Amino acid sequence: MRIKFYLLPVFIFVLGVTQMHAQDLKELRVKPDSSISEQEKQKALNIKNINVPIPKLDLKVNYWKHWTKLGLNFNQAQFSESWQLGGLNSWALMGLFWHKSEFNRNNFNFTTEVDMKYGKLKNEDQMPRPNNDRLFWDNKLSYKLSKSWAIYTSITVETQFDNAYNYGRDKETGKDTITSVKSSFMSPGYFTESVGLEYKPNKEFSLRFGTGTARQTLILDQRIRPRSGQGYYDRYGEYLHPSDPNRGTGARYGVEEDKNFKNELAFQLTANLDKNIAKNINLKARYNLFADYLDLNDPSHRLDATFSSRITSLINVSLGGTMIYDNNMIGKVQWSESLALGILLNLPK
């Protein structure tokens, strides 16, 4: 019992200390609407305006875009004199150049496109002759009326570079020889001016409706110019058909005898397609319908189409074809096809 009484002062002392600390903590508690310490008022910052010099970059907007293709195709076949299974020594070489420039600003668009091809074919015991020959230049100015429609005016030039001949065999030597000239540079040559509406839903396809179209056909080569019986005699000193002196060459490429120019007013429909149908495979096609208002039932047609595939950055394989129907030429469907492997340089890459 004495021990318990001895411990009593200790318990009283501990209880008093605890109570004292409790009172101190209450005094230190922060009321919700008060702060622990008053913040000192900060001095306002002194901000100075500094003029930073901005250099003049002299930037200009380029409204032009350009694309160019340069190509060279070659194929060759050679057989020994002892070869018995058939074959003919031959070689063929063709070069091509294509360029397109396009200007776009606001609703105006100007496009110029040049397509040039020339190739030579040489078979054994035959004279070299052109196997691909074309010069095409199209210029178009348009003003956009809506997202897909525009009014346009265009000028197109089309002809060939070299002479195309008819061939035969010399009676004495039996060798290949030239008998006559079929066509040459600007013989025929076509100049076409057109005004109308253009439908262009995207960058890959366009369709022109040339309601006001004029085309001039020229024959400047005197060897090809159509002549009447008397005109032929005046030129060559003899009649083309001695038994019928009045009979001449007849019209050529729609140009009448003793003339070298023909003008036509017509409706023209032109469709262009340039589409990547798969990776590294492109289809480029152009279709043109030309219907003379004096003879709408017999329009002329031309379709050019080329599939091209890039094997490497330079090696290219292409399959191209052309189909033509023009009653002023021959009145039959003409077509050509070519498969080529060669070098093709695209700029820009």
Side-chain angles (χ1 to χ4, degrees), residues 328-341:
N328 291 324
M329 287 188 181
I330 193 174
K332 296 181 181 180
V333 175
Q334 309 171 63
W335 63 270
S336 67
E337 174 270 332
S338 63
L339 176 64
L341 175 67

Side-chain angles (χ1 to χ4, degrees), residues 97-111:
F97 172 80
W98 176 86
H99 177 79
K100 181 179 179 180
S101 292
E102 188 172 294
F103 175 88
N104 287 284
R105 185 171 185 179
N106 299 328
N107 291 325
F108 285 96
N109 169 269
F110 173 73
T111 303

Side-chain angles (χ1 to χ4, degrees), residues 67-288:
W67 301 268
T68 302
K69 292 182 181 180
L70 292 168
L72 183 64
N73 300 324
F74 177 78
N75 62 68
Q76 180 263 348
Q78 185 72 30
F79 303 90
S80 66
E81 294 182 359
S82 59
W83 185 261
Q84 299 296 313
L85 300 181
L88 190 67
N89 297 336
S90 65
W91 59 263
L93 181 68
M94 188 191 77
L96 64 90
F97 172 80
W98 176 86
H99 177 79
K100 181 179 179 180
S101 292
E102 188 172 294
F103 175 88
N104 287 284
R105 185 171 185 179
N106 299 328
N107 291 325
F108 285 96
N109 169 269
F110 173 73
T111 303
T112 180
E113 180 179 355
V114 179
D115 187 11
M116 295 187 290
K117 299 177 182 177
Y118 183 73
K120 279 278 191 178
L121 171 67
K122 175 67 171 71
N123 290 324
E124 186 179 6
D125 296 330
Q126 291 183 355
M127 300 177 66
R129 57 195 69 187
N131 65 340
N132 205 329
D133 191 357
R134 191 187 189 203
L135 171 58
F136 175 84
W137 186 21
D138 180 62
N139 301 274
K140 182 200 69 174
L141 176 65
S142 64
Y143 180 80
K144 186 176 290 187
L145 300 174
S146 65
K147 181 180 178 180
S148 302
W149 289 93
I151 55 174
Y152 82 92
T153 180
S154 66
I155 299 177
T156 304
V157 181
E158 187 172 3
T159 186
Q160 63 192 61
F161 291 100
D162 202 0
N163 298 326
Y165 299 103
N166 291 311
Y167 296 90
R169 290 286 179 178
D170 188 274
K171 295 181 180 180
E172 297 181 356
T173 63
K175 293 183 178 181
D176 198 31
T177 185
I178 296 173
T179 58
S180 60
V181 184
K182 293 190 296 184
S183 59
S184 65
F185 179 74
M186 283 297 165
S187 298
Y190 300 100
F191 291 82
T192 306
E193 305 83 33
S194 183
V195 177
L197 290 173
E198 180 184 41
Y199 173 66
K200 191 174 182 179
N202 51 53
K203 294 182 179 180
E204 298 173 343
F205 176 77
S206 67
L207 183 64
R208 302 184 201 172
F209 300 89
T211 54
T213 301
R215 184 174 73 176
Q216 298 80 43
T217 304
L218 284 73
I219 299 181
L220 302 184
D221 194 322
Q222 295 298 320
R223 299 170 297 176
I224 304 170
R225 181 180 177 179
R227 300 182 186 276
S228 62
Q230 186 60 44
Y232 191 91
Y233 180 84
D234 294 340
R235 172 70 180 180
Y236 298 104
E238 60 182 8
Y239 290 105
L240 180 63
H241 302 281
S243 59
D244 187 1
N246 294 324
R247 182 182 174 187
T249 61
R252 288 179 175 174
Y253 303 105
V255 179
E256 297 178 356
E257 292 180 344
D258 297 328
K259 295 182 179 180
N260 59 4
F261 175 86
K262 179 184 180 181
N263 186 58
E264 299 170 272
L265 298 178
F267 169 78
Q268 181 174 254
L269 181 69
T270 304
N272 287 284
L273 177 66
D274 191 350
K275 182 178 179 61
N276 293 322
I277 58 177
K279 185 179 180 180
N280 295 331
I281 300 178
N282 176 266
L283 169 62
K284 183 176 176 62
R286 179 185 176 90
Y287 168 74
N288 183 264

Side-chain angles (χ1 to χ4, degrees), residues 287-301:
Y287 168 74
N288 183 264
L289 177 146
F290 185 88
D292 191 335
Y293 282 127
L294 297 178
D295 190 10
L296 291 174
N297 295 324
D298 191 18
S300 62
H301 307 264

